[in-house]
Amino acid sequence: MDKNYFCLECNQPITQGVFNFSVQQLGIPLCMYHQDWINQMSEQSTFEAISLYFELKQRGVPAELEKFDGFKHIDLAISEAKINIEVDGGHHNYSYEQAMADLKRTYHSFKKGFYTVRIPNVLIHGRIQETADYIVGILNENLKRNYR
Ligand SMILES: [Zn+2]
């Protein structure tokens, strides 16, 4: 094993070959096990949610992908900061039904102490670094509030 290459998900060392293959295929370094894992996750998770997940991971954020809250899967959940993140495509803004369903979900999560941050896909495509930095800011503020 080469000491210079690590899986972004589990931090286990990986070979240069595995590193190169993973970065080429997925854009991020993952061990073989987590390459399979992320390929499976991509059946239910969007490309945008997965991209943001790893962007946050690189900033040390303990996010969970597709966390089940008893009703539905949340795109990204950061339980210790009590923040849920939903990464939405444009269709969430165009239909009353979808927008109202989202608002109801936000309400029910909020009653349980979780605030939902909605991130439009367009930010992932054009401004992912800045978006992830702001999310880290929100997480830090909420952590301070929860433990004050
Ligand atoms: Zn791994």
Side-chain angles (χ1 to χ4, degrees), residues 47-62:
F47 163 80
E48 288 81 4
I50 291 173
S51 302
L52 184 58
Y53 170 78
F54 282 110
E55 207 55 50
L56 291 172
K57 196 97 193 168
Q58 289 176 69
R59 287 165 173 76
V61 174

Side-chain angles (χ1 to χ4, degrees), residues 32-144:
M32 306 275 263
Y33 175 83
H34 284 113
Q35 288 177 33
D36 283 348
W37 170 73
I38 209 65
N39 280 329
Q40 278 175 13
M41 290 307 286
S42 65
E43 286 169 19
Q44 35 177 336
S45 252
T46 61
F47 163 80
E48 288 81 4
I50 291 173
S51 302
L52 184 58
Y53 170 78
F54 282 110
E55 207 55 50
L56 291 172
K57 196 97 193 168
Q58 289 176 69
R59 287 165 173 76
V61 174
E64 293 168 72
L65 254 184
E66 296 295 327
K67 190 190 171 200
F68 190 64
D69 72 350
F71 293 98
K72 121 176 218 294
H73 288 91
I74 299 155
D75 289 341
L76 297 172
I78 300 102
S79 300
E80 69 170 57
K82 294 194 176 291
I83 296 281
N84 292 334
I85 299 173
E86 298 285 5
V87 185
D88 296 334
H91 70 280
H92 283 258
N93 299 323
Y94 298 139
S95 114
Y96 288 115
E97 288 76 16
Q98 182 65 57
M100 189 49 75
D102 289 347
L103 183 59
K104 285 179 184 169
R105 291 283 316 145
T106 298
Y107 169 72
H108 287 293
S109 297
F110 197 75
K111 281 213 297 191
K112 289 195 277 178
F114 283 80
Y115 185 67
T116 304
V117 179
R118 294 191 176 278
I119 303 292
N121 278 347
V122 66
L123 284 180
I124 305 300
H125 297 148
R127 297 281 185 88
I128 192 168
Q129 305 286 338
E130 201 179 343
T131 300
D133 288 342
Y134 270 106
I135 291 170
V136 169
I138 291 169
L139 295 173
N140 287 336
E141 287 303 316
N142 223 37
L143 274 173
K144 277 191 230 160

